Amino acid sequence: MKKQSINVKNKLGTSGKDSDKYFRPESKEELKKILEDYTDELTVIAGGTDLLVANYKNLYKIEKWLDLNWLDSFKEIKIFDDKVEIGSMVTHERLDKLDQIKEHFPVIQKAAADVGSPQIRSRGTIGGNIVTSSPAGDLLPTLLVYDAKLKIISKDGERIVDANDFFTGPKQNVLGDGELVEKIILPLEENKSKGAWVKVGKRKALVISSISLALNLVFDNDNKIKDARICVGSAAPVPLRIEKAEQSLKNKKIKKVNIAEIAQIVSDEISPIDDIRGTAEYRRKVAYNITKSALQEVINQ
Amino acid sequence: MKISLTVNGEKRALDVKPETRLLDLIRDDLGLTGTKEGCGKGECGACTVIMNNKVVASCLVLAAQADGAEIKTIEGLGGKDKLHPLQQAFIEKGAVQCGFCIPGMIMSSKKLLDENINPSEEDIKRGLSGNICRCTGYVKIVDAVKEAAHKIKSGGEENV
Amino acid sequence: MSKKYVGKDVLKVDAQDKVTGEAQYPSDLKFEDYLHVKIKRATYPHAILRDLDVSKAKQVEGVVDILTEKDYPDLNKFGLIIKDQPVLIKVGEKMRFMGDALAIIIAETEEAALKARDKIEVEVEKLEVMSNPQRALEKDAPTIHNDIGDLCTNYIDPDVGKQNILMDHHLEKGDVDKGFEEADFIVENEYQTQHIDQLPIQNEAGYALYDESNDVIKIWAASQWLHDTQADVAQAMNLPKEKVRIIQTAIGGAFGKKEDVSVHLHLALAARHTKRPVKLVYTREESMISQSKRHPLTIKAKTGVTNDGYLTAWEVKVIGDAGAYASSSPAVVHKGMYHCTGPYNVQNVRGDSYAVYTNNTYGGAMRGFGTTQMAFAYESQIDIIAHKLDMDPAQFRYQNAYDIGSTTPNGQKLGKSVNLKRTIESATDLAQWEGEISE
């Protein structure tokens, strides 16, 4: 069948700021005012790639929208001597494509490249990924291996929380009513570091990971491992640092590391569940394998 | 609430609700039904359009978020009088079966070729990884994108 | 065969409309002043509907009307092969799966229809939910369809309850008992396949319009069996066929899923009731819950084999989960059974198949129509046997492969175009297979 031409009349008007159900602050001051007026009535939308899915066919039930997409300051990436600040509204696409991220935080870049699909990466944001706090959130393990801190703001002020302390359970975190993540602060390491990222799912694209692993090793001047961070996703209620494995990596040269031993520690330390994406047993086996392949990848770098 | 945006080069001003999705605006308000809804959850890619030079699932964008944006849909690519090389290649390579995924496939391909006119097979697969074809005609779709790249390169700027 | 098209690229006639976005699928149509339709569906998979109160829902602003069985008590059941599916569930009768329709909500906006749907009050008396056909086959299992009579015609196994058997078939070729005696060893395994949704990217959708001038209901929808759907809608509404017109739109994929009636009947009722154009578009969830699936088959296979790698006998028992309504089950499940040996020569074959009602979403047609499930069973069985024989699985297949003159389990003698051996030769070549293949 061919299309009949449909006559659609243009209506005059612009702005989008004329609704009492939809707020799009363009500055932090405006944002704070809105948070003051409507704290617990607001539904915050960042990229929308989780929110619109969760509320499919129920969007009309949302009373008041707070859209962070017009806050340019939340989209900034600032590079200082000792740290990089990533605004919470930076998209996965930008994290994937920006040279500075690739240079300083390659594990974040790789994880961002593995998120969803081009359509999801172009809208979904690092802040959204954090606040949704899914145990399978792709960026979360990578933030923990870089010792990220989160700057949280509210109408009353602001606070800094360690990413390691932010997540409290599946889709749960320390944010209170009216609190937002403004930026992610990543310390810049003076020493040389190498990292790896492994995501395992049933497909390559548009898949919620069955298990994922982020690895970051910092080396001292003698090429010994000065600091080690291993974090596993989808294997516990929150992204899980494997401190026991980290400890046994420290002060060793990478080539002297017993890879199988570290892999076994990771496999033993996680607390996975049986779910639609895999059994606990499967996840333990895969955790073992991906730990080995991640360490091997670092050795080969 | 009132918003204005540019769709396929034409400036439009519309009245939308906060919960109106960009997809609904395109299909219902503007009558551009080439953009499809397959899942409503960003999984299938049938609703893919280009928004400010980015591919987006229009089912996951609020119309209000497209205020001031520049949108390109399948209808803006070329009509039957002057088909875009991608459209021509999809016809020639037999990449169209039921056709429901095709507008989204072509928009993702457009974005891919805009950025990289010499894509490898891997690049094409990654560029189209957000679009599902349930007739499973992927081989011919990849062939069509390669053919379109070839057409654009040999036809020069005017073809695009 | 004509050389005009075979082996040549042919430009598809509708491709241009599809690459430009011009092609119109059902949800792309637009009628002036149309109404939105939503369906209130079952609240429990197996239950007696005790009360259905739409009074609060009708008060939602924008609602035009809500139709229930009370408004149309004379509707007949529908279905592709067996008419066993009610258009709307009557108070006092049963809902048999989550897709059963309780009420048709007609409203000026989609939002009003959704709000009204939330306000419909349903009271049910819950019954045992049978999600597993093994349970439905037990003698003490509750009967899912009490009102259909004895559907089971060739009832064979005395140990199972027949009350939920929708269709059974028996297959016998050669002398199976003798075949097993001739075997050097016997391999027995059970295989289980799962529900699979056909998942066409375009969900079920359509418009309908009632033409008062000639009392005709027109339905624009994508359908695989246009004329069957027309006849089914007409008989369900007690109308002559010419009073129902189905106008085919572009079809956004189907793969068997659009053989069954979906939006058609509810749209027809709503259009005639309101005398305005009506539109119904399923969500993905609705499509998954209420429309057909590939049947899960439980396949018990027993195969007799000689030490030199030939098949002497093959026996299968097939249990198909038909779900709540018959749809294509009477054809699909036993078709699977008839393919039980795959493309391999076996002189002695026996099979029993049962299509069994459960409270799952019904099984229907999907690419392969029962044979793909069976392929999983016989190809696995072949590999397992080859392993036990310590024989190259390609060689094992090759020496048992169909050729001209082979007979299938149902006795069909293959007269031409039997290319399995050539296929195995080419495949092993292309795969650079290590083993040698010979007769």
Side-chain angles (χ1 to χ4, degrees):
Chain A
M1 293 186 71
K2 298 276 180 77
K3 176 176 333 208
Q4 310 101 22
S5 68
I6 294 162
N7 185 21
V8 179
K9 281 180 210 138
N10 271 352
K11 291 171 188 159
L12 290 177
T14 48
S15 103
K17 293 175 104 174
D18 55 346
S19 169
D20 59 356
K21 287 184 72 179
Y22 173 80
F23 302 99
R24 51 173 235 198
E26 289 172 22
S27 68
K28 247 169 106 170
E29 293 65 44
E30 262 183 77
L31 171 67
K32 286 194 173 176
K33 178 82 175 67
I34 294 162
L35 288 174
E36 218 158 277
D37 293 349
Y38 305 102
T39 303
D40 37 8
E41 300 164 65
L42 296 165
T43 299
V44 180
I45 180 166
T49 55
D50 280 322
L51 187 72
L52 266 63
V53 173
N55 293 281
Y56 180 62
K57 293 281 173 201
N58 285 316
L59 293 174
Y60 68 88
K61 291 181 182 167
I62 291 176
E63 290 292 336
K64 294 198 188 311
W65 296 80
L66 172 57
D67 186 353
L68 304 181
N69 278 274
W70 309 83
L71 283 158
D72 286 343
S73 67
F74 278 47
K75 297 179 180 176
E76 287 172 351
I77 296 179
K78 285 189 198 159
I79 300 177
F80 301 90
D81 288 344
D82 58 343
K83 63 178 178 182
V84 173
E85 292 183 356
I86 300 175
S88 60
M89 289 300 292
V90 170
T91 62
H92 304 300
E93 183 178 309
R94 282 178 68 207
L95 294 173
D96 175 17
K97 291 187 176 165
L98 274 176
D99 288 339
Q100 295 96 321
I101 300 295
K102 196 171 185 171
E103 187 192 334
H104 299 297
F105 310 106
V107 185
I108 294 181
Q109 183 265 328
K110 284 179 189 158
D114 270 353
V115 171
S117 66
Q119 290 91 327
I120 301 298
R121 290 193 289 275
S122 69
R123 298 292 298 171
T125 62
I126 184 169
N129 206 239
I130 292 168
V131 173
T132 299
S133 301
S134 159
D138 280 323
L139 296 184
L140 313 185
T142 73
L143 298 176
L144 267 61
V145 299
Y146 287 124
D147 281 337
K149 294 187 183 344
L150 308 176
K151 184 175 167 197
I152 294 169
I153 58 164
S154 66
K155 61 179 198 294
D156 304 319
E158 48 193 61
R159 60 183 175 129
I160 306 276
V161 174
D162 237 50
N164 207 18
D165 304 325
F166 183 80
F167 306 100
T168 54
K171 303 205 168 179
Q172 287 162 15
N173 55 48
V174 302
L175 281 188
D177 274 350
E179 280 194 317
L180 300 169
V181 174
E182 183 190 8
K183 59 178 76 164
I184 295 89
I185 303 160
L186 294 159
L188 275 175
E189 183 60 50
E190 282 173 24
N191 294 69
K192 185 177 67 174
S193 74
K194 290 179 180 179
W197 163 251
V198 189
K199 170 172 172 170
V200 178
K202 289 187 175 162
R203 307 163 56 199
K204 283 187 186 167
L206 278 169
V207 68
I208 298 175
S209 45
S210 307
I211 188 162
S212 64
L213 182 139
L215 169 71
N216 184 37
L217 302 179
V218 181
F219 295 90
D220 64 19
N221 295 335
D222 298 329
N223 249 342
K224 279 188 184 156
I225 298 169
K226 180 177 166 242
D227 221 339
R229 295 274 186 273
I230 299 179
C231 186
V232 184
S234 296
V238 296
L240 192 69
R241 284 262 305 275
I242 315 292
E243 282 167 31
K244 200 172 155 195
E246 295 173 358
Q247 285 307 324
S248 62
L249 280 165
K250 273 188 194 170
N251 298 319
K252 289 195 181 112
K253 291 216 170 181
I254 183 87
K255 292 204 170 139
K256 299 265 164 157
V257 167
N258 183 340
I259 291 181
E261 190 187 305
I262 304 290
Q264 193 57 52
I265 297 173
V266 173
S267 178
D268 292 343
E269 289 288 300
I270 57 175
S271 56
I273 54 164
D274 290 346
D275 71 6
I276 196 166
R277 286 178 281 281
T279 60
E281 185 194 0
Y282 166 82
R283 287 185 160 107
R284 284 196 195 278
K285 281 186 180 164
V286 176
Y288 178 87
N289 290 336
I290 63 179
T291 307
K292 275 173 88 171
S293 60
L295 285 164
Q296 196 58 53
E297 194 186 321
V298 170
I299 292 170
N300 296 342
Q301 274 172 23
Chain B
M1 56 203 238
K2 296 192 169 67
I3 63 161
S4 65
L5 68 173
T6 308
V7 181
N8 299 329
E10 209 180 315
K11 191 119 182 149
R12 315 296 296 250
L14 299 113
D15 214 347
V16 300
K17 290 181 177 178
E19 69 269 20
T20 305
R21 301 171 304 168
L22 177 59
L23 175 62
D24 305 323
L25 176 146
I26 290 169
R27 287 179 53 84
D28 300 341
D29 297 334
L30 300 178
L32 298 170
T33 53
T35 304
K36 309 298 183 194
E37 175 161 3
C39 67
K41 298 187 171 182
E43 296 277 345
C44 78
C47 68
T48 302
V49 301
I50 296 177
M51 172 172 165
N52 295 335
N53 287 319
K54 293 189 186 306
V55 282
V56 301
S58 60
C59 72
L60 296 187
V61 180
L62 294 176
Q65 296 180 310
D67 190 16
E70 197 155 321
I71 309 285
K72 199 166 198 103
T73 72
I74 188 72
E75 289 88 350
L77 217 57
K80 54 182 175 242
D81 305 332
K82 192 175 187 313
L83 291 172
H84 185 278
L86 269 164
Q87 294 169 318
Q88 192 65 45
F90 269 67
I91 296 173
E92 286 169 14
K93 289 292 173 185
V96 182
Q97 295 187 54
C98 89
F100 203 75
C101 73
I102 295 298
M105 284 282 180
I106 291 182
M107 296 319 284
S108 289
S109 306
K110 164 92 168 65
K111 168 69 177 157
L112 172 75
L113 295 184
D114 283 351
E115 281 183 356
N116 177 5
I117 196 63
N118 294 305
S120 66
E121 185 144 338
E122 262 320 293
D123 293 336
I124 296 172
K125 287 180 181 171
R126 187 166 148 79
L128 298 183
S129 59
N131 295 77
I132 291 174
C133 165
R134 278 295 289 169
C135 306
T136 61
Y138 294 108
V139 170
K140 290 179 175 190
I141 288 170
V142 172
D143 286 350
V145 177
K146 286 182 193 163
E147 171 65 16
H150 175 72
K151 278 182 197 296
I152 292 168
K153 279 183 284 184
S154 57
E157 284 297 300
E158 49 155 358
N159 242 340
V160 187
Chain C
M1 203 180 275
S2 162
K3 291 275 189 286
K4 199 172 166 192
Y5 299 115
V6 175
K8 296 195 171 70
D9 287 341
V10 180
L11 297 186
K12 291 177 192 141
V13 292
D14 56 353
Q16 184 172 294
D17 286 344
K18 289 175 173 174
V19 298
T20 54
E22 290 277 312
Q24 288 214 300
Y25 299 83
S27 50
D28 299 338
L29 300 165
K30 197 145 194 173
F31 290 82
E32 287 285 308
D33 203 25
Y34 71 91
L35 295 166
H36 295 258
V37 174
K38 293 280 167 197
I39 307 299
K40 173 70 182 177
R41 297 191 187 272
T43 55
Y44 198 74
H46 197 200
I48 297 167
L49 178 59
R50 283 300 171 207
D51 192 26
L52 180 63
D53 184 355
V54 297
S55 56
K56 281 182 194 143
K58 277 188 181 179
Q59 285 161 17
V60 171
E61 196 187 332
V63 169
V64 173
D65 210 343
I66 296 176
L67 309 180
T68 65
E69 190 275 343
K70 265 190 195 162
D71 302 293
Y72 292 96
D74 298 327
L75 296 173
N76 300 312
K77 292 180 176 180
F78 66 98
L80 271 178
I81 298 172
I82 296 167
K83 311 286 178 212
D84 63 351
Q85 190 165 356
V87 181
L88 290 163
I89 305 295
K90 183 181 182 176
V91 173
E93 292 189 355
K94 283 207 297 192
M95 50 190 82
R96 297 179 180 85
F97 82 126
M98 294 303 280
D100 270 327
L102 309 185
I104 305 168
I105 303 124
I106 312 166
E108 297 286 349
T109 63
E110 186 182 21
E111 187 180 321
L114 290 169
K115 279 182 183 160
R117 190 169 66 181
D118 286 347
K119 290 200 185 318
I120 294 177
E121 291 168 330
V122 182
E123 266 179 48
V124 297
E125 179 189 331
K126 291 179 181 177
L127 303 170
E128 180 190 339
V129 177
M130 282 173 289
S131 59
N132 184 342
Q134 311 290 350
R135 168 62 186 138
L137 277 173
E138 285 171 10
K139 288 196 165 163
D140 67 340
T143 307
I144 293 175
H145 288 267
N146 313 73
D147 48 352
I148 293 196
D150 203 353
L151 289 168
C152 179
T153 52
N154 303 298
Y155 183 65
I156 291 161
D157 191 339
D159 297 330
V160 302
K162 63 193 281 196
Q163 69 275 26
N164 290 313
I165 297 178
L166 154 64
M167 184 73 75
D168 61 340
H169 270 254
H170 182 66
L171 158 72
E172 192 95 38
K173 174 192 168 189
D175 185 338
V176 176
D177 296 331
K178 191 159 155 277
F180 280 122
E181 277 170 30
E182 286 165 9
D184 291 316
F185 66 95
I186 289 170
V187 175
E188 273 189 273
N189 286 299
E190 183 173 319
Y191 302 94
Q192 178 66 53
T193 68
Q194 79 280 33
H195 283 104
I196 297 178
D197 196 285
Q198 300 87 336
L199 217 105
I201 300 281
Q202 180 224 329
N203 289 322
E204 292 80 359
Y207 271 93
L209 193 64
Y210 175 61
D211 187 343
E212 279 182 272
S213 67
N214 54 10
D215 190 31
V216 169
I217 300 167
K218 295 181 186 172
I219 303 165
W220 286 260
S223 314
Q224 280 182 270
W225 291 109
L226 214 49
H227 302 90
D228 280 8
T229 301
Q230 177 200 24
D232 213 3
V233 171
Q235 71 80 24
M237 295 177 70
N238 295 304
L239 295 171
K241 273 200 284 189
E242 60 270 23
K243 294 296 176 191
V244 177
R245 272 194 70 197
I246 305 214
I247 300 141
Q248 186 76 291
T249 59
I251 305 175
F255 322 124
K257 200 177 179 87
K258 289 168 188 166
E259 291 191 8
D260 302 277
V261 166
S262 60
V263 295
H264 312 77
L265 263 164
H266 298 140
L267 278 174
L269 288 168
R272 195 178 60 180
H273 185 80
T274 59
K275 302 188 170 55
R276 280 172 66 180
V278 288
K279 176 188 190 180
L280 171 54
V281 180
Y282 282 7
T283 62
R284 178 62 61 193
E285 284 81 351
E286 200 170 14
S287 170
M288 284 191 149
I289 288 166
S290 64
Q291 298 296 133
S292 82
K293 300 278 172 289
R294 190 194 286 291
H295 291 79
L297 295 189
T298 308
I299 301 162
K300 285 181 185 155
K302 179 179 171 187
T303 309
V305 194
T306 61
N307 283 333
D308 53 351
Y310 289 93
L311 307 166
T312 61
W314 198 300
E315 190 174 54
V316 287
K317 185 171 178 185
V318 182
I319 295 168
D321 182 349
Y325 297 104
S327 181
S328 301
S329 291
V332 170
V333 177
H334 74 262
K335 183 169 171 59
M337 175 183 68
Y338 279 103
H339 285 259
C340 65
T341 64
Y344 305 109
N345 286 309
V346 189
Q347 294 312 314
N348 310 299
V349 186
R350 185 190 290 147
D352 288 320
S353 73
Y354 302 95
V356 183
Y357 281 126
T358 65
N359 296 119
N360 293 326
T361 294
Y362 59 87
M366 179 176 176
R367 294 177 162 186
F369 219 67
T371 63
T372 39
Q373 295 97 310
M374 190 53 78
F376 167 62
Y378 62 71
E379 292 296 354
S380 302
Q381 188 79 346
I382 289 281
D383 278 333
I384 291 167
I385 295 169
H387 186 74
K388 281 190 199 282
L389 283 165
D390 196 23
M391 187 184 261
D392 176 357
Q395 171 62 31
F396 182 47
R397 284 180 168 82
Y398 192 82
Q399 70 184 33
N400 287 290
Y402 276 176
D403 213 333
I404 303 279
S406 296
T407 53
T408 64
N410 53 329
Q412 184 190 356
K413 192 165 180 182
L414 302 175
K416 56 180 178 182
S417 194
V418 186
N419 291 318
L420 179 58
K421 288 191 170 174
R422 266 175 63 195
T423 307
I424 294 174
E425 286 161 15
S426 300
T428 48
D429 270 357
L430 288 168
Q432 298 176 321
W433 191 254
E434 281 176 15
E436 283 289 314
I437 306 297
S438 65
E439 286 292 337

